[in-house]
Amino acid sequence: WLAGGIFIGAALGFASARWLVPPPHVEPPRVSMLVHSGADQQPVASPDGKTIAFASTRTGKSRIWIKQLASGDEVALTEGEDNAPQFSPDGSQLLFAHSETAGTSLWRVSMVGGQPRRAIEDAFEGAWSADGKQLAFLRLASEPRQGEVWLANADGSDAKRIHAAESALRWLSWSPDGKTLLVASVPLANAAVFYLTIP
């Protein structure tokens, strides 16, 4: 009985101490506004974390902008109509979707300036492989509301279709090891996420 009483007393003392001692203070996460024109979306961070790219309609056209986090400087990198920016793995280039009357294509532009160059015809979303050697991209099939996943070299050559779906596709991304692709089917009311093994 004595041993049991000691054990129960110790347990009650320990529990009381936990209740009476306030928990250590934890600082709440700090929220910092990066861009605030009211027309900015689709942000992506550069691999080194020093720059962000985003699409913005602040000038009346959807253009790709970049912001240097250290200085706060912002500059438009494209003329529009552009969206869906993606940094190359080495951070030297941006891939983006450029829309014209004839359709949407993927273009590349250097982070140090220069003229954008078309990379992939007839594509509306793309993603770099982790080694920067390939691009995966989405196309609309000839049938309405159907999507296709394609692969090509980073310069756009040797393009080949690797998957055709019975619904539209969005939000394409590579796995870090470069062996699979993630993609979602839409509409959102019946959305599904699936992965493709790279052939």
Side-chain angles (χ1 to χ4, degrees), residues 17-190:
R18 291 190 63 188
W19 290 331
L20 295 175
V21 176
H25 177 69
V26 178
E27 288 291 332
R30 186 178 64 172
V31 178
S32 300
M33 188 74 70
L34 294 179
V35 291
H36 48 83
S37 74
D40 310 318
Q41 59 181 335
Q42 301 173 332
V44 291
S46 62
D48 64 7
K50 296 179 179 180
T51 307
I52 62 168
F54 56 95
S56 179
T57 57
R58 61 177 70 178
T59 61
K61 278 187 173 183
S62 181
R63 304 165 73 185
I64 305 302
W65 290 66
I66 57 172
K67 182 183 182 79
Q68 304 295 336
L69 296 183
S71 65
D73 293 340
E74 296 179 14
V75 63
L77 204 60
T78 69
E79 294 299 320
E81 297 280 341
D82 307 310
N83 59 65
Q86 293 288 331
F87 279 97
S88 61
D90 64 3
S92 67
Q93 298 182 71
L94 270 175
L95 182 73
F96 62 94
H98 175 69
S99 298
E100 300 174 301
T101 305
T104 303
S105 299
L106 297 180
W107 290 62
R108 295 163 55 172
V109 64
S110 171
M111 290 296 295
V112 297
Q115 287 296 112
R117 296 172 295 164
R118 192 191 312 267
I120 304 288
E121 295 271 6
D122 185 27
F124 63 90
E125 185 179 326
W128 300 87
S129 62
D131 60 9
K133 295 180 179 179
Q134 288 183 293
L135 294 174
F137 59 96
L138 299 178
R139 277 182 173 159
L140 292 175
S142 55
E143 295 294 327
R145 303 299 300 165
Q146 292 189 354
E148 298 176 343
V149 182
W150 289 66
L151 281 181
N153 295 326
D155 62 3
S157 64
D158 195 27
K160 56 189 175 187
R161 189 180 73 175
I162 63 170
H163 179 73
E166 295 182 356
S167 62
L169 302 175
R170 291 299 307 273
W171 304 300
L172 181 68
S173 65
W174 289 78
S175 63
D177 62 10
K179 295 181 179 179
T180 57
L181 286 167
L182 287 174
V183 67
S185 63
V186 291
L188 295 179
N190 193 28

